Amino acid sequence: MANQYVDLETLKYLLFQVQDLKEVLEQERYSEYDEEAVEMFIDSVKDYADKEMYPYFKEMDEHPAHFKDGEIVVHPQVTKYMKEAGEMGFIGAPFDYDAGGLQMPSMAVNASSFIQEAANNHLPGYVGLTLGAAELIVHFANQELNQTYVPKMISGEWGGTMCLTEPQAGSSLSDIVTSATPDGDTYKIHGQKIFISGGDYQGAENIVHLVLARIKGAPAGTKGISLFVVPKNRPKSDGSLESNDVTTVADFQKMGQRGYCTTHLFFGDKEDCTGWLVGEPNQGLRYMFLMMNGARIAVGRGAAAIATGAYHASLNYAHERPQGRELQSSGKKDASQEQTLIVNHPDVRRMLLLQKAITEGSLSLVFLCSKYYDLSVAASDEKESERYKLLLEIMTPIVKTYPSEMGITSINNGVQVLGGYGFCSEYILQQYLRDIRISAIYEGTTGIQSQDLLGRKITMANGKALQLLSEEIKQSIGEAMAHESLAPYAKKLGAKLELTQEVLQSLMGYAMQGDYQRFLADATPFMEFFSTIVMAWQWLVIGTNAQQALVMGSKRNSEEFYESKLHTMKFYFKYELPKTQGLSEILMDKEALTLNTDKKIFA
Amino acid sequence: MANQYVDLETLKYLLFQVQDLKEVLEQERYSEYDEEAVEMFIDSVKDYADKEMYPYFKEMDEHPAHFKDGEIVVHPQVTKYMKEAGEMGFIGAPFDYDAGGLQMPSMAVNASSFIQEAANNHLPGYVGLTLGAAELIVHFANQELNQTYVPKMISGEWGGTMCLTEPQAGSSLSDIVTSATPDGDTYKIHGQKIFISGGDYQGAENIVHLVLARIKGAPAGTKGISLFVVPKNRPKSDGSLESNDVTTVADFQKMGQRGYCTTHLFFGDKEDCTGWLVGEPNQGLRYMFLMMNGARIAVGRGAAAIATGAYHASLNYAHERPQGRELQSSGKKDASQEQTLIVNHPDVRRMLLLQKAITEGSLSLVFLCSKYYDLSVAASDEKESERYKLLLEIMTPIVKTYPSEMGITSINNGVQVLGGYGFCSEYILQQYLRDIRISAIYEGTTGIQSQDLLGRKITMANGKALQLLSEEIKQSIGEAMAHESLAPYAKKLGAKLELTQEVLQSLMGYAMQGDYQRFLADATPFMEFFSTIVMAWQWLVIGTNAQQALVMGSKRNSEEFYESKLHTMKFYFKYELPKTQGLSEILMDKEALTLNTDKKIFA
């Protein structure tokens, strides 16, 4: 089952060599880990995913989670997985030892999650949300809430969710109306939440909802939103559970991720739903957003993983399927020849290399952002920590968006490699294409990420984050310049950095004139522009590492392996980077065509 | 139900004004039609589609065609539609009066099919294939076959299919092995065919298969393929039917177009399957390809239609859904304001305008190619006819591919407009996204269309087709230059024509050196490059027409309507045309990265 859904050699190469996990492991915080321990963990995850996740991937799509008789019916593997994820440490991995966790660097945690998501993206969400909900409690709730909930969540006995969206408030969280009425030390919660992933399932002993709600009398907008722990079943003083008036009223059937339930919840239908305030009143959105970087990296990681599974499925098909013949130098084909494998057709190779460039580049980006996170948490020097925080801030919308958007493109090419079979349910490609589509919507759509990137992150701390990122890129350019064969690529990237400055100067003009609508109108094309350049940087870094390994005669990986990375870098620079030229023209074009005016442009 | 799935005003504007149907109606062949008659026909089609097609669109997806007890079960509306399509003239429309048809120009026929496909793309394929199969008989078979089959097919009593693909021969038709053994005046057919759309359905009195097979002893490759009529039930001399040993052995379940059955057929399992040769032996592929232009225009038209349905669904949603607030000049939002409709957000407007530009531009292209077809058939002057044939030849791969590929992009943006709801089965956007995916595969994948464009059409008749097309584009540029406000766009298009010359010169270098693999390696990026420019031409033509209407004070459509077309033209030139810059860089890059070499690039 070599590389059936993930290429572990490349994963380890990106983790250990390219993004240099060692630098993180050297920090005091992670002193109990070494590379060998992380590698063993990764191998055990792959082993588990092979046996308990990948075999159920198609089945979970074909038998989707659904609402029946007042509850959500999920594939039996969900319950098994939650329990085993607790045992394997998948949930506890990122938590401090103090909180009962394994205090593992997020680089390693994300490697583990990536493998699981590549194997079966319908399962890890249950763990991911439990982990995210527990993190909110650990970071912001009092000791009592911690003691009551966190151990049960880390063990996988209780699930967790994040309840943000309401029917009238999708991307616009300031319009949340779910209410919290003080009732002694606790609150009575009333309202409804939609799109709640992992919100309920048959046989779950308890589900711990982290709910955004408005305390009666709180200020309007985002400043009046508080965060509550609202369990499906509330623990009584004797430790037993009683119903907390949280009702699942419906589910959402979806085009993909059909094994991962999406629910519609009612809180307090019988006025008997108790919520426990997390931290201070009116700080809910702030708490939520302090955890948001992790959640957004997770979405990008999941998208990269889904696209990786799809890449290997189409690559394997291309190596097995004979079809047509190679063109001869005459421009003709010789029908008397045996058919050739389709991997030998240039157009098929182009589609496969595009997938390789997008998926491996995305994984590199995920590890890089994880490293920024780990170092921001673990660095002993405060200035260093601050530096990594800023780098993480500016990279978060990119690591969320690039794998999500380009992952769609990647899988779309994978489907095309299979021709008619790509469209058929019997083959897995179509499922990947359906599954990944949510990634560009989860945790803030691409439009919102793009506004975050251009409107907040580029300008934050007087442009300091962008400056730090530029320095990182320039350093990589410098390292690549040391290799004659890489110099042309390094120079191309340098030129794109200068182009970025030009584009930003042009856009900043609008902001300085106070025309913020215009400034942000093309935020999404800017995201495409900038993230394409960031990805070129990642490929230059990978290429430099591979070139160095070849020069040094490294035996960690084969020569072919390193050559293949260099080839993919070249592919990215030839086929992907040039699109930034057209994008820069769009971004510097003075004509405004999308602003809201009186003109009936859709007449 | 205004513009629920199609905007009839725009359709008529493109048909009558922009692509000037009158020029076709002036031909002797179509003298029984005038604009009024065509408009009445179109209105009746829309009326029919509103009542009998659109209401079943979602239902047919939710209850897919499927194989059960040896037959294909389809939605009951299929049988009703086939019968009514016969009565309404949908099948007979393009046929000559002599063949029992309505001798309608293909511009009008395609307008009708487009409306039907926008309403419910799961139904028209049954008619389309019946029509295509009947056309093959009319053009190439003897009188007896014509009399036996064509009237029953035109009336919708009998269905028809095209049987090309075999399990070992997908895109590579030279590898077909289905055999035909002479048996008196007829042949015994033996073999299997896969991916046969509309291949069987419960209650069909008969299905007439047009089958590619190899007569025993025929030359290898494409030169040894013949075409046969192979009915499911063969007519006896008394007119009654008996089984012809054509068995449906399975179906293909698909990610989209689930109401449109796709079957796996066995011919001659009991050695009792009779085939009637169409025309001459070994000419099968030639006959098939003589009809292929029509089939490829039909795929592009269907893709444009699906994307049009999706555009209107997301446009309507954007006009109904309040969410968030407009940015104020301060860059802040005022949470005390009412929420605004999402159509007012610039990023949403960008996504909607992109859909508008792609879908309306695609429809314009479909009408243009239909016009070339009509004039190639109807022009009295042979030189004129030849001119239109060449224009049709070069445009066919483009009209097949642009709407298919960019239709995916268009609908993908439509899904994004709906946010989380876009991913939910309750909303229709996700269905459009699934349905359209086959268009880039049907009737020759995008890779094959691209090789056809660059490898055959660009060079055909010593480059004459390209020269004619360039003249057409230059004439449009000249007309646009007459309007000061359009001159900048006309000049941009002119520059892109020059860039095309540069790109082609660079690519032709490889062909002249005999390096055909390299010449065609980037055919697909060339398709994207060239079709993006062709689409800019279409938008310049539309813009010029709208500008003239405004100048002349035309009252056929409102000023807002014309302004909206001009706005969309500007949008296309700002947001889409610039991508050709990066594509030209790819195409002129000397590095070859996708050719088959010994290098293990996927190591």
Side-chain angles (χ1 to χ4, degrees):
Chain A
M1 212 160 70
N3 296 356
Q4 190 149 12
Y5 57 87
V6 70
D7 165 10
L8 223 49
E9 185 181 5
T10 290
L11 180 142
K12 289 178 183 175
Y13 171 67
L14 293 172
L15 180 66
F16 295 117
Q17 305 306 305
V18 177
Q19 301 300 352
D20 198 11
L21 174 68
K22 216 172 334 92
E23 216 182 311
V24 164
L25 297 182
E26 280 162 3
Q27 308 298 318
E28 174 69 24
R29 179 179 167 79
Y30 304 117
S31 58
E32 294 201 17
Y33 290 93
D34 58 17
E35 285 184 304
E36 209 185 331
V38 171
E39 187 164 1
M40 276 178 61
F41 174 65
I42 287 173
D43 289 339
S44 72
V45 172
K46 172 68 164 52
D47 197 45
Y48 178 79
D50 282 350
K51 292 196 189 85
E52 298 291 341
M53 302 183 76
Y54 188 69
Y56 301 98
F57 177 44
K58 196 157 192 293
E59 204 174 298
M60 288 184 75
D61 176 64
E62 287 165 354
H63 305 282
H66 60 278
F67 183 66
K68 197 180 167 191
D69 302 334
E71 59 182 1
I72 301 285
V73 182
V74 296
H75 191 285
Q77 194 64 10
V78 172
T79 318
K80 187 162 188 279
Y81 169 69
M82 274 296 285
K83 194 171 153 288
E84 290 172 352
E87 288 163 12
M88 300 273 297
F90 297 164
I91 311 177
F95 290 91
D96 288 4
Y97 296 130
D98 287 351
L102 303 176
Q103 206 160 306
M104 200 181 273
S106 79
M107 285 182 85
V109 175
N110 281 331
S112 155
S113 301
F114 177 86
I115 293 166
Q116 296 178 52
E117 283 155 345
N120 182 345
N121 70 82
H122 298 212
L123 283 169
Y126 292 98
V127 153
L129 278 175
T130 303
L131 191 162
E135 273 187 323
L136 278 170
I137 297 174
V138 167
H139 282 83
F140 306 113
N142 61 31
Q143 209 179 350
E144 194 193 326
L145 288 174
N146 265 277
Q147 283 166 352
T148 308
Y149 292 99
V150 174
K152 293 277 196 186
M153 294 170 83
I154 285 185
S155 69
E157 289 163 89
W158 292 358
T161 79
M162 307 279 209
C163 297
L164 288 76
T165 307
E166 299 178 6
Q168 79 296 346
S171 295
S172 173
L173 291 173
S174 60
D175 292 292
I176 281 175
V177 296
T178 293
S179 65
T181 312
D183 179 38
D185 289 348
T186 60
Y187 292 79
K188 288 285 178 212
I189 307 294
H190 189 95
Q192 53 177 315
K193 295 286 180 177
I194 60 167
F195 294 156
I196 305 309
S197 302
D200 196 10
Y201 45 90
Q202 242 181 355
E205 189 182 290
N206 205 1
I207 311 253
V208 185
H209 304 289
L210 275 282
V211 177
L212 290 183
R214 206 175 276 287
I215 296 173
K216 294 276 172 184
T222 52
K223 287 174 191 160
I225 296 172
S226 303
L227 181 64
F228 297 86
V229 169
V230 188
K232 178 182 177 181
N233 299 304
R234 58 191 175 224
K236 290 198 288 190
S237 49
D238 66 356
S240 68
L241 297 172
E242 66 180 358
S243 167
N244 190 35
D245 193 16
V246 179
T247 332
T248 304
V249 293
D251 70 341
F252 294 87
Q253 287 297 310
K254 300 160 299 179
M255 69 179 286
Q257 291 207 332
R258 294 154 59 87
Y260 184 32
C261 69
T262 307
T263 60
H264 183 164
L265 304 178
F266 253 84
F267 294 88
D269 192 38
K270 301 177 198 135
E271 308 297 339
D272 185 29
C273 176
T274 304
W276 283 262
L277 181 67
V278 174
E280 299 295 315
N282 300 334
Q283 297 295 315
L285 214 59
R286 192 172 72 83
Y287 297 153
M288 201 59 102
F289 272 85
L290 282 170
M291 309 311 295
M292 200 47 107
N293 285 341
R296 288 178 170 172
I297 293 174
V299 173
R301 178 196 72 212
I306 297 169
T308 296
Y311 165 56
H312 287 289
S314 65
L315 184 64
N316 290 340
Y317 182 87
H319 276 102
E320 285 164 5
R321 171 75 174 172
Q323 185 79 165
R325 285 158 192 84
E326 290 184 59
L327 264 187
Q328 305 193 302
S329 58
S330 61
K332 306 273 182 216
K333 296 171 189 173
D334 178 357
S336 68
Q337 275 186 350
E338 286 280 293
Q339 296 205 59
T340 187
L341 293 175
I342 62 170
V343 70
N344 295 325
H345 296 309
D347 199 49
V348 172
R349 291 163 85 85
R350 184 186 58 76
M351 293 191 281
L352 292 169
L353 279 167
L354 179 60
Q355 292 179 69
K356 187 173 166 70
I358 291 170
T359 54
E360 296 184 358
S362 293
L363 181 56
S364 181
L365 198 62
V366 167
F367 286 146
L368 176 68
C369 292
S370 309
K371 185 177 182 179
Y372 289 158
Y373 174 80
D374 288 333
L375 293 176
S376 77
V377 171
S380 49
D381 179 302
E382 185 148 341
K383 221 177 122 189
E384 269 298 275
S385 164
E386 187 57 31
R387 179 168 164 270
Y388 287 116
K389 264 183 203 139
L390 283 170
L391 284 166
L392 180 63
E393 286 292 336
I394 194 167
M395 289 292 279
T396 296
I398 295 169
V399 74
K400 195 277 176 180
T401 303
Y402 182 92
S404 300
E405 291 287 345
M406 290 306 294
I408 297 174
T409 300
S410 179
I411 302 177
N412 194 44
N413 277 273
V415 168
Q416 195 72 10
V417 166
L418 269 72
Y421 290 117
F423 194 64
C424 291
S425 308
E426 196 187 332
Y427 288 77
I428 201 71
L429 262 296
Q430 49 79 33
Q431 184 181 339
Y432 288 115
L433 189 60
R434 291 184 289 107
D435 284 348
I436 201 176
R437 185 60 189 85
I438 189 62
S439 305
I441 297 168
Y442 270 157
E443 305 293 354
T445 62
T446 294
I448 285 174
Q449 301 301 326
S450 303
Q451 302 219 354
D452 181 48
L453 175 64
L454 182 59
R456 295 184 55 236
K457 303 300 176 63
I458 292 278
T459 53
M460 78 188 294
N462 288 318
K464 179 80 177 168
L466 178 63
Q467 187 203 322
L468 291 172
L469 179 59
S470 303
E471 283 166 12
E472 295 265 296
I473 298 176
K474 281 176 189 159
Q475 187 181 333
S476 303
I477 291 173
E479 287 164 14
M481 290 295 287
H483 302 273
E484 202 185 319
S485 62
L486 296 179
Y489 303 94
K491 282 180 193 156
K492 271 190 192 177
L493 181 58
K496 293 299 178 187
L497 263 193
E498 283 170 28
L499 184 60
T500 305
Q501 283 305 328
E502 255 184 81
V503 164
L504 281 173
Q505 259 169 27
S506 166
L507 289 175
M508 288 302 173
Y510 301 112
M512 288 191 294
Q513 289 158 29
D515 191 355
Y516 282 90
Q517 273 228 3
R518 181 67 184 83
F519 171 51
L520 291 178
D522 286 331
T524 302
F526 177 78
M527 168 66 87
E528 191 181 354
F529 169 78
F530 193 57
S531 63
T532 303
I533 293 170
V534 165
M535 190 51 56
W537 168 42
Q538 285 308 292
W539 273 109
L540 189 69
V541 169
I542 297 170
T544 306
N545 187 289
Q547 184 63 34
Q548 270 160 355
L550 284 171
V551 171
M552 307 289 283
S554 165
K555 299 284 174 231
R556 275 187 93 117
N557 306 91
S558 69
E559 254 183 60
E560 280 168 352
F561 178 88
Y562 296 124
E563 290 288 1
S564 149
K565 298 303 177 226
L566 280 163
H567 196 88
T568 312
M569 175 203 76
K570 291 175 187 171
F571 180 89
Y572 188 90
F573 274 79
K574 171 172 173 180
Y575 286 92
E576 284 296 294
L577 190 57
K579 72 166 70 145
T580 51
Q581 192 57 42
L583 287 162
S584 72
E585 285 181 32
I586 295 173
L587 292 164
M588 294 194 280
D589 190 307
K590 295 295 172 199
E591 203 164 22
L593 296 169
T594 56
L595 300 187
N596 185 19
T597 61
D598 291 338
K599 279 169 68 177
K600 291 202 173 156
I601 58 176
F602 300 106
Chain B
M1 212 160 71
N3 296 355
Q4 189 149 13
Y5 57 86
V6 70
D7 165 11
L8 223 49
E9 185 181 6
T10 289
L11 181 143
K12 289 179 183 176
Y13 171 68
L14 294 171
L15 180 66
F16 295 117
Q17 306 305 305
V18 176
Q19 300 300 354
D20 198 10
L21 175 67
K22 216 172 335 89
E23 216 182 312
V24 164
L25 297 183
E26 279 162 6
Q27 308 297 318
E28 175 67 25
R29 179 179 166 81
Y30 304 116
S31 58
E32 294 200 18
Y33 290 93
D34 58 16
E35 285 186 304
E36 209 184 332
V38 172
E39 187 164 2
M40 275 176 62
F41 174 66
I42 287 172
D43 289 340
S44 72
V45 173
K46 173 67 163 54
D47 196 45
Y48 179 79
D50 282 350
K51 292 196 188 85
E52 298 291 341
M53 301 184 76
Y54 188 69
Y56 300 98
F57 178 44
K58 197 158 192 292
E59 204 174 299
M60 288 183 74
D61 176 65
E62 288 165 353
H63 304 282
H66 60 279
F67 183 65
K68 197 180 167 190
D69 302 333
E71 59 182 1
I72 301 285
V73 182
V74 296
H75 190 284
Q77 194 64 10
V78 172
T79 318
K80 187 163 189 278
Y81 168 70
M82 273 297 283
K83 195 171 154 285
E84 291 172 351
E87 288 162 12
M88 300 274 297
F90 296 164
I91 311 177
F95 289 92
D96 288 4
Y97 295 130
D98 286 351
L102 303 176
Q103 206 160 306
M104 201 181 272
S106 80
M107 286 182 85
V109 175
N110 281 330
S112 155
S113 301
F114 177 86
I115 293 166
Q116 295 177 54
E117 284 155 345
N120 182 347
N121 71 82
H122 298 212
L123 283 169
Y126 292 99
V127 153
L129 278 175
T130 303
L131 190 162
E135 273 187 323
L136 277 171
I137 298 175
V138 166
H139 281 83
F140 306 112
N142 61 30
Q143 210 180 350
E144 195 193 324
L145 288 174
N146 265 275
Q147 283 165 351
T148 308
Y149 292 99
V150 174
K152 293 277 196 186
M153 294 170 83
I154 284 185
S155 68
E157 289 163 89
W158 293 359
T161 78
M162 307 280 210
C163 298
L164 288 76
T165 306
E166 299 178 6
Q168 80 295 347
S171 296
S172 173
L173 292 173
S174 60
D175 293 292
I176 281 175
V177 296
T178 293
S179 66
T181 312
D183 179 36
D185 289 347
T186 59
Y187 293 79
K188 289 286 177 210
I189 306 295
H190 189 93
Q192 54 177 316
K193 296 285 179 177
I194 60 167
F195 294 157
I196 307 308
S197 302
D200 196 11
Y201 46 91
Q202 240 181 356
E205 190 181 288
N206 205 2
I207 311 254
V208 185
H209 304 289
L210 274 282
V211 177
L212 290 182
R214 206 175 276 287
I215 296 173
K216 293 275 173 184
T222 52
K223 287 174 190 160
I225 296 171
S226 304
L227 182 64
F228 298 87
V229 169
V230 189
K232 176 182 179 182
N233 298 305
R234 57 191 175 223
K236 292 198 286 189
S237 50
D238 65 356
S240 68
L241 298 172
E242 66 180 359
S243 167
N244 190 34
D245 192 16
V246 179
T247 331
T248 303
V249 294
D251 70 341
F252 295 86
Q253 287 296 311
K254 300 160 299 180
M255 70 178 286
Q257 292 207 330
R258 292 153 61 86
Y260 184 32
C261 68
T262 307
T263 61
H264 184 165
L265 303 178
F266 253 85
F267 293 89
D269 192 37
K270 301 175 197 134
E271 306 298 339
D272 185 28
C273 177
T274 304
W276 283 261
L277 181 67
V278 173
E280 300 295 315
N282 300 335
Q283 297 296 315
L285 214 59
R286 192 174 70 85
Y287 299 153
M288 202 59 101
F289 272 87
L290 283 169
M291 309 310 295
M292 201 47 105
N293 285 341
R296 288 177 171 172
I297 294 175
V299 173
R301 178 197 71 211
I306 297 169
T308 296
Y311 164 56
H312 287 290
S314 65
L315 184 65
N316 290 339
Y317 182 86
H319 277 102
E320 284 164 6
R321 170 75 175 174
Q323 184 81 166
R325 286 158 191 84
E326 290 184 59
L327 265 187
Q328 305 193 305
S329 58
S330 62
K332 305 272 182 215
K333 296 173 190 173
D334 177 358
S336 68
Q337 273 186 352
E338 286 281 293
Q339 295 206 59
T340 187
L341 293 175
I342 62 170
V343 70
N344 296 324
H345 295 310
D347 199 49
V348 172
R349 291 164 84 84
R350 184 186 57 77
M351 293 191 279
L352 292 169
L353 278 167
L354 179 60
Q355 292 180 69
K356 186 173 166 71
I358 291 169
T359 54
E360 296 184 359
S362 292
L363 181 55
S364 181
L365 198 62
V366 167
F367 285 145
L368 176 68
C369 291
S370 309
K371 184 177 183 179
Y372 289 157
Y373 175 80
D374 288 333
L375 292 175
S376 77
V377 170
S380 47
D381 180 301
E382 185 148 340
K383 222 177 121 188
E384 270 297 276
S385 164
E386 188 56 29
R387 180 169 164 268
Y388 287 117
K389 264 183 203 140
L390 284 170
L391 283 166
L392 180 63
E393 286 292 336
I394 195 168
M395 289 292 279
T396 296
I398 296 169
V399 73
K400 195 279 175 177
T401 303
Y402 183 92
S404 299
E405 291 287 345
M406 291 307 294
I408 297 173
T409 301
S410 179
I411 302 177
N412 194 44
N413 277 273
V415 168
Q416 196 71 11
V417 166
L418 269 73
Y421 290 117
F423 194 64
C424 290
S425 308
E426 195 187 332
Y427 288 76
I428 200 71
L429 261 296
Q430 49 79 34
Q431 184 182 336
Y432 288 115
L433 188 61
R434 291 184 289 108
D435 284 348
I436 200 175
R437 185 61 189 82
I438 188 63
S439 305
I441 299 167
Y442 270 157
E443 305 293 354
T445 62
T446 293
I448 285 174
Q449 301 301 325
S450 303
Q451 302 219 354
D452 182 48
L453 175 65
L454 182 60
R456 295 184 56 237
K457 304 302 176 61
I458 291 279
T459 54
M460 77 188 295
N462 288 319
K464 180 80 178 169
L466 179 62
Q467 186 202 323
L468 291 172
L469 179 59
S470 303
E471 284 165 13
E472 294 265 295
I473 297 176
K474 282 176 189 159
Q475 188 181 331
S476 303
I477 291 173
E479 287 164 15
M481 290 295 287
H483 301 274
E484 203 184 319
S485 62
L486 296 179
Y489 303 94
K491 282 179 193 157
K492 271 191 191 177
L493 181 58
K496 294 298 179 188
L497 265 193
E498 282 170 29
L499 184 60
T500 305
Q501 283 305 328
E502 254 184 83
V503 163
L504 281 173
Q505 259 169 27
S506 166
L507 290 175
M508 289 300 174
Y510 301 112
M512 289 192 293
Q513 290 159 27
D515 191 353
Y516 282 89
Q517 273 228 4
R518 181 67 184 83
F519 171 51
L520 290 178
D522 286 331
T524 302
F526 177 78
M527 169 65 88
E528 190 181 355
F529 169 78
F530 193 55
S531 63
T532 303
I533 293 170
V534 164
M535 190 51 55
W537 167 41
Q538 286 307 293
W539 272 109
L540 189 69
V541 169
I542 297 170
T544 305
N545 187 289
Q547 184 63 35
Q548 270 160 356
L550 284 170
V551 171
M552 307 289 283
S554 165
K555 299 284 172 231
R556 275 186 93 117
N557 305 91
S558 69
E559 253 183 60
E560 280 168 351
F561 179 88
Y562 296 124
E563 291 287 359
S564 149
K565 298 301 177 228
L566 281 163
H567 196 89
T568 312
M569 176 203 76
K570 291 175 186 171
F571 180 89
Y572 188 90
F573 273 79
K574 171 171 175 181
Y575 286 91
E576 284 296 294
L577 190 57
K579 74 166 68 144
T580 51
Q581 192 58 41
L583 286 162
S584 72
E585 285 181 32
I586 295 173
L587 293 164
M588 294 195 280
D589 190 307
K590 295 295 171 198
E591 204 165 22
L593 297 169
T594 56
L595 300 187
N596 186 18
T597 62
D598 290 338
K599 279 169 67 177
K600 292 202 173 155
I601 57 176
F602 299 107

